[in-house]
Amino acid sequence: MIVVTGAAGFIGSNLVSKLNANGFVDIVIVDDFSNPNKNKNIETKQISARVDRNRFFDWLDKNHRWVQFLFHIGAKSATVGFPKSVYDELNLNYSKTVWNKCVEYGLPLVYASSAATYGAGELGYDDSHDLIPKLRPLNDYGHSKNDFDIWALQQAKKPYFWAGLKYFNVYGPNEYHKGRMASVIFHAFNQINETGKMKLFMSHKPDYIDGGQIRDFVYVKDLSEIMCFLMNNRKDSGIYNVGTGKGRTFLDLTRNTFLAMGKPENIEFIPIPEDIRDKYQYFTEANMSKLRQIGYDKEFYSLEDGIHDYVKNYLIKAKHI
């Protein structure tokens, strides 16, 4: 039996789909199932049971003997709009209880961290454990994720295998419910459909052209591959970056979205709002050497191939994976 928390969400539902494709159907999904739009992500999944996140620990106490692996993907993923107490409750304290239950019951664990822990990137994007206590996230979401990473590394008792994954800029199917927190590609597709053009931020730094700001955009299908790799190779515990290792510009992203949609390119540049201008990131790129060193050798989707697959096979068809 495999447990996936956050299973109705964007990344969690993609993982369940990948597990199903690999022949796993004895899957217990955990989430807050009160959002009907989010629940569309799991309508076609093969599972054994649904467990509300508030009942999960009681369920685990009674059923841990049958659990073989636990993916803790559930979190409050909106980076703004909630008080710190919400992030502490759902991202920090809930995750501590998951960790302690895995220690108590001898369960292997993969959990979701975030590249938001790197803040403005002053210290780079290296997933060295020594760097983690020095990071300065920019918001309460990032702090909650980094606080848990720090806490996990400090624990004398750890699951016999565990991995924390720092997801970079993830895009792909099943993010329809995320609203403003959905990927730039999702918003570009909708904006182009509605207006025929896409608005991008100007650059306020001389080293970058307008729209030349760089992010490490990673296709959600690559995340699922990595998580399944870790499940099947339960060694080399630690915290890992999950990006492509190749930063790309917003111009690259937008032009490929127009191309995949078969529409003429029409890009407008607007100023970065002054209230976020000083904290706006101009560059993110994951150092992926650590994951490669433990044997993960699959090629990542290029931005071109990922956008083509996402737009053609999901967004145009309004299809879930």
Side-chain angles (χ1 to χ4, degrees):
M1 178 186 294
I2 298 170
V3 173
V4 180
T5 75
F10 169 37
I11 295 172
S13 62
N14 273 271
L15 173 61
V16 174
S17 181
K18 180 64 176 177
L19 291 169
N20 282 171
N22 289 348
F24 296 98
V25 295
D26 189 6
I27 301 171
V28 173
I29 62 173
V30 181
D31 213 315
D32 171 3
F33 298 104
S34 62
N35 184 340
N37 290 326
K38 192 168 76 168
N39 289 342
K40 292 178 181 178
N41 290 339
I42 53 174
E43 285 179 350
T44 62
K45 304 297 186 287
Q46 293 178 278
I47 61 171
S48 299
R50 297 186 188 194
V51 178
D52 185 271
R53 74 180 183 206
N54 293 323
R55 296 181 47 249
F56 173 54
F57 298 129
D58 289 338
W59 179 93
L60 190 59
D61 289 338
K62 298 173 183 176
N63 295 278
H64 62 88
R65 294 176 184 85
W66 294 276
V67 176
Q68 296 171 303
F69 206 94
L70 201 158
F71 292 98
H72 178 41
I73 314 301
K76 176 57 70 177
S77 59
T79 57
V80 294
F82 294 89
K84 183 178 183 295
S85 59
V86 171
Y87 295 107
D88 286 346
E89 176 189 354
L90 296 179
N91 295 358
L92 180 57
N93 296 327
Y94 193 97
S95 297
K96 288 180 179 180
T97 304
V98 170
W99 175 283
N100 287 330
K101 294 289 185 184
C102 287
V103 170
E104 180 180 357
Y105 298 133
L107 304 178
L109 170 69
V110 166
Y111 74 86
S113 181
S114 172
T117 57
Y118 288 114
E122 306 97 329
L123 302 178
Y125 299 94
D126 189 340
D127 48 8
S128 165
H129 289 179
D130 293 337
L131 184 66
I132 288 171
K134 303 173 186 176
L135 296 177
R136 292 180 288 174
L138 297 176
N139 51 44
D140 289 336
Y141 167 77
H143 277 292
S144 68
K145 288 295 190 178
N146 201 53
D147 287 347
F148 181 73
D149 288 344
I150 293 170
W151 180 89
L153 291 172
Q154 292 173 339
Q155 297 313 293
K157 294 183 178 180
K158 297 178 170 64
Y160 75 86
F161 170 75
W162 65 276
L165 303 181
K166 289 177 178 271
Y167 303 137
F168 275 67
N169 288 69
V170 188
Y171 66 95
N174 291 16
E175 57 174 337
Y176 301 103
H177 66 283
K178 289 178 67 67
R180 62 178 295 199
M181 300 309 300
S183 72
V184 180
I185 296 166
F186 179 84
H187 288 299
F189 175 84
N190 288 314
Q191 193 175 133
I192 293 165
N193 259 342
E194 293 168 9
T195 69
K197 65 182 178 182
M198 176 63 180
K199 294 180 179 180
L200 292 178
F201 283 148
M202 295 176 178
S203 171
H204 298 274
K205 292 186 177 182
D207 294 340
Y208 293 83
I209 63 172
D210 291 342
Q213 301 93 332
I214 292 171
R215 296 285 187 278
D216 194 331
F217 301 105
V218 58
Y219 199 26
V220 70
K221 291 184 179 182
D222 284 323
L223 270 64
S224 298
E225 289 282 359
I226 290 168
M227 288 188 281
C228 288
F229 166 81
L230 292 168
M231 181 181 71
N232 294 324
N233 297 269
R234 304 176 189 186
K235 56 182 182 178
D236 301 305
S237 295
I239 295 173
Y240 294 89
N241 282 338
V242 178
T244 65
K246 297 177 181 178
R248 300 291 298 274
T249 69
F250 284 103
L251 275 172
D252 291 335
L253 179 153
T254 304
R255 287 167 175 163
N256 277 284
T257 304
F258 275 108
L259 183 64
M261 296 174 70
K263 294 183 179 290
E265 185 179 305
N266 183 3
I267 301 172
E268 177 184 337
F269 296 101
I270 61 174
I272 299 174
E274 290 190 10
D275 61 331
I276 65 170
R277 195 173 295 176
D278 291 342
K279 293 184 177 181
Y280 186 79
Q281 291 176 305
Y282 276 72
F283 178 85
T284 70
E285 185 177 84
N287 180 347
M288 293 302 297
S289 60
K290 189 173 171 184
L291 186 69
R292 293 302 195 190
Q293 287 168 3
I294 67 168
Y296 188 78
D297 58 5
K298 290 192 175 183
E299 289 297 314
F300 293 98
Y301 276 83
S302 68
L303 186 63
E304 289 81 1
D305 290 344
I307 290 176
H308 180 87
D309 184 58
Y310 184 25
V311 171
K312 293 285 191 182
N313 295 321
Y314 300 97
L315 289 177
I316 288 177
K317 302 175 182 178
K319 179 183 173 184
H320 292 74
I321 192 168

